[in-house]
């Protein structure tokens, strides 16, 4: 018996929750309140530990990805000549690797401190015993929390900033074997962010009227989308099933190949439509900017005012003949003439001489 260590029982929390405190106090209610308070504190402590583990796991994944990227850049520097852009990117990734390594060490330290603190906690009725074994395994992809619009935008932008060249390189590949090999060497590209970026590149090429390049990248965008769709059907990570897609597409039957080509044509049409809308929107913005620059002192557009004038007044402006303008104005009703003359002045078509004729009534008196 002397070999048994009884020290583990020294820190058991003996609760007095059920002790009768007073005949005027509802003892069961008091017990429940104290019990709930203790459970809340335990839940907060456990949640803090889970948050530390999750943050440590995310940091480790980012660190591994950054180290892979750094290794690629260093190998590329040994093969290729020195390039300022490559060196700048290399320094940027090195700094990112150092930062992530420091964060990883910090999380690891906090996790150890949390575990030590957990060992020092006293046992109570809720922790003195627990289920020895309970496990259920489902071979499906876990449901992830839906991201907000801001989170998706930030994730897309960060991913593109880091892998823009790799994504564009994949978009230019023309053979199934080349595409599969490239994704095998760069499995991080098998994701929705790559698919979105490929579509954006298609639109840029279409705007630049590089139609052949647009169609090439559109083909690769559909390849990536089919891989993502296959992963969703199988409920697995897309990085683990892209080889199945290439095996299937190489020996695809006609319905599957027709479905692929149909989706490709639909994407091309959407890209052309989107490019056309962007071009029209840009033209409208440009026209509005030009219009704002043309506005006269009264805020009217001289082009619109000119087109609304009677033919005789238009002709006087075409020939820059003041006498013809006065005659054309005199032929009109006085109120109508004042209306057109004021619009000409507000639009800048007609600029009265400084100091005289600035007022429309005075201009009419000079005509008389």
């Amino acid at each position: 018996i002397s070999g048994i260590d009884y020290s583990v029982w020294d820190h058991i929390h003996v609760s007095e929750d059920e002790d009768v405190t007073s005949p005027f106090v509802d003892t069961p209610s008091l017990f429940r309140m104290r019990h709930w308070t203790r459970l809340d504190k335990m839940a907060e402590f456990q949640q803090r530990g889970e948050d530390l583990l999750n943050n440590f796991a995310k940091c480790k994944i980012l660190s591994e990805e950054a180290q892979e990227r750094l290794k690629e850049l260093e190998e590329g520097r040994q093969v290729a000549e020195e390039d300022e852009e490559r060196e700048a990117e290399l320094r940027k990734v090195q700094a990112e690797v150092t930062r992530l390594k420091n964060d990883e060490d910090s999380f690891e330290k906090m996790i150890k401190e949390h575990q030590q603190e957990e060992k020092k906690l006293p046992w109570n009725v809720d922790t003195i015993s627990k289920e020895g074994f309970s496990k259920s395994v489902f071979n499906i992809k876990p449901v992830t929390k839906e991201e907000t619009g801001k989170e998706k935008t930030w994730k897309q932008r960060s991913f593109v900033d880091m892998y823009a060249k790799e994504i564009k390189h994949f978009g230019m590949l023309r053979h199934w074997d080349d595409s599969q090999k490239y994704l095998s060497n760069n499995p991080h590209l098998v994701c929705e962010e790559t698919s979105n970026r490929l579509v954006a590149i298609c639109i840029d090429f279409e705007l630049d009227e590089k139609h052949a390049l647009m169609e090439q990248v559109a083909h690769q965008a559909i390849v990536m989308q089919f891989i993502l769709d296959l992963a969703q059907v199988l409920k697995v990570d897309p990085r683990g099933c892209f080889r199945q897609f290439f095996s299937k597409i190489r020996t695809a039957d006609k319905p599957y190949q027709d479905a692929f080509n149909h989706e490709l044509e639909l994407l091309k049409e959407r890209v052309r439509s989107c490019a056309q809308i962007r071009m029209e929107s840009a033209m409208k913005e440009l026209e509005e900017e030009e219009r704002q620059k043309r506005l006269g002192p009264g805020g009217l557009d001289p082009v619109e005012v000119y087109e609304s004038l009677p033919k005789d007044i238009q002709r006087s402006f075409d020939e820059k003949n003041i006498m013809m303008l006065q005659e054309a104005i005199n032929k009109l009703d006085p109120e109508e003439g004042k209306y057109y003359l004021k619009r000409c002045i507000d639009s800048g078509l007609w600029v009265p001489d400084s100091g005289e004729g600035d007022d429309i009534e005075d201009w009419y008196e000079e005509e008389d």
Side-chain angles (χ1 to χ4, degrees):
I1 297 177
S2 59
I4 300 176
D5 182 11
Y6 291 96
S7 63
V8 294
W9 304 99
D10 293 343
H11 301 288
I12 296 178
H13 175 71
V14 180
S15 173
E16 298 179 354
D17 293 342
E18 294 179 308
D19 292 347
V20 178
T21 55
S22 170
F24 302 105
V25 175
D26 183 12
T27 303
S29 298
L30 181 62
F31 165 69
R32 286 194 297 271
M33 182 185 68
R34 289 176 177 175
H35 187 227
W36 291 339
T37 301
R38 187 171 66 248
L39 290 177
D40 288 341
K41 290 181 180 179
M42 290 169 55
E44 290 177 5
F45 184 83
Q46 184 179 1
Q47 183 62 45
R48 184 155 61 92
E50 292 176 358
D51 291 342
L52 286 173
L53 290 174
N54 290 335
N55 290 333
F56 176 71
K58 291 178 182 178
C59 185
K60 196 167 185 178
I61 292 173
L62 292 175
S63 178
E64 290 175 355
E65 291 178 353
Q67 287 175 1
E68 290 179 5
R69 177 63 180 152
L70 178 61
K71 184 178 178 182
E72 292 175 3
L73 290 173
E74 289 176 343
E75 291 175 354
R77 184 172 62 174
Q78 294 174 359
V79 176
E81 297 181 357
E82 291 188 4
D83 180 67
E84 292 184 3
E85 185 177 350
R86 182 186 292 274
E87 290 297 322
E89 186 176 359
L90 179 62
R91 289 192 295 271
K92 178 181 176 182
V93 176
Q94 286 175 338
E96 182 70 11
V97 169
T98 303
R99 184 184 67 80
L100 289 171
K101 180 60 178 173
N102 292 336
D103 291 346
E104 191 176 340
D105 293 340
S106 298
F107 280 124
E108 192 171 5
K109 181 180 178 182
M110 287 189 286
I111 289 172
K112 288 181 179 178
E113 292 175 352
H114 185 270
Q115 290 173 345
Q116 292 174 357
E117 185 180 351
E118 185 178 17
K119 290 180 180 179
K120 296 178 181 179
L121 292 176
W123 291 355
N124 55 59
V125 68
D126 297 302
T127 59
I128 198 168
S129 64
K130 58 184 178 180
E131 191 175 21
F133 180 84
S134 177
K135 185 176 182 181
S136 298
V137 178
F138 298 92
N139 189 23
I140 60 174
K141 184 180 178 181
V143 179
T144 56
K145 181 182 178 183
E146 187 175 354
E147 297 175 328
T148 63
K150 284 187 178 180
E151 289 174 340
K152 289 182 179 179
T153 302
W154 180 85
K155 186 177 179 182
Q156 177 72 32
R157 188 176 301 168
S158 301
F159 187 86
V160 170
D161 288 343
M162 186 169 290
Y163 302 114
K165 290 183 179 179
E166 288 87 342
I167 295 172
K168 191 169 184 179
H169 181 83
F170 174 76
M172 295 301 173
L173 299 177
R174 296 179 178 274
H175 302 290
W176 300 121
D177 292 340
D178 294 338
S179 297
Q180 180 177 347
K181 183 178 179 181
Y182 193 75
L183 292 181
S184 297
N185 296 330
N186 301 273
H188 54 274
L189 295 182
V190 187
C191 60
E192 186 178 355
E193 287 74 25
T194 297
S195 178
N196 294 337
R197 180 56 185 166
L198 289 172
V199 174
I201 293 174
C202 289
I203 296 173
D204 291 338
F205 278 143
E206 185 66 19
L207 288 171
D208 294 337
E209 298 184 355
K210 298 177 180 178
H211 307 299
L213 289 175
M214 182 277 286
E215 294 182 357
Q216 164 59 32
V217 178
H219 178 275
Q220 295 299 89
I222 293 299
V223 168
M224 186 59 63
Q225 192 57 53
F226 264 59
I227 293 172
L228 297 176
D229 291 344
L230 178 61
Q232 189 173 7
V233 171
L234 299 178
K235 295 183 179 180
V236 297
D237 191 306
R239 291 173 293 183
C241 71
F242 67 88
R243 293 178 181 83
Q244 291 176 251
F245 164 77
F246 287 109
S247 299
K248 186 174 184 179
I249 196 67
R250 288 192 189 95
T251 59
D253 53 11
K254 191 173 185 303
Y256 190 80
Q257 190 67 49
D258 289 345
F260 183 92
N261 294 332
H262 177 67
E263 290 297 325
L264 177 58
E265 292 304 319
L266 288 178
L267 177 59
K268 290 178 186 178
E269 288 301 319
R270 289 196 296 269
V271 167
R272 294 187 186 103
S273 176
C274 184
Q276 183 65 29
I277 292 173
R278 282 195 186 182
M279 198 173 298
E280 292 174 356
S281 177
M283 289 298 296
K284 288 181 180 179
E285 290 180 3
L286 183 62
E287 290 174 358
E288 182 60 25
E289 289 179 4
E290 293 296 327
R291 181 179 176 279
Q292 292 295 327
K293 292 177 182 178
R294 291 196 306 262
L295 295 182
L300 298 182
D301 183 1
V303 175
E304 295 177 0
V305 171
Y306 175 84
E307 293 175 351
S308 69
L309 295 174
K311 296 296 183 183
D312 292 342
I313 300 179
Q314 287 183 354
R315 194 178 302 112
S316 67
F317 280 110
D318 293 340
E319 299 181 11
K320 299 180 181 179
N321 191 320
I322 297 177
M323 294 299 296
M324 186 182 296
L325 174 62
Q326 291 177 341
E327 291 176 1
I329 293 291
N330 287 333
K331 290 179 182 179
L332 301 174
D333 180 79
E335 291 300 322
E336 188 179 6
K338 291 177 183 178
Y339 167 76
Y340 284 120
L341 185 60
K342 185 177 186 310
R343 285 175 60 80
C344 290
I345 294 173
D346 290 343
S347 65
L349 277 175
W350 171 256
V351 181
D353 293 336
S354 177
E356 34 180 272
D358 290 347
D359 186 84
I360 295 178
E361 298 293 341
D362 295 340
W363 197 80
Y364 261 90
E365 289 176 4
E366 289 180 2
E367 287 181 349
D368 295 339

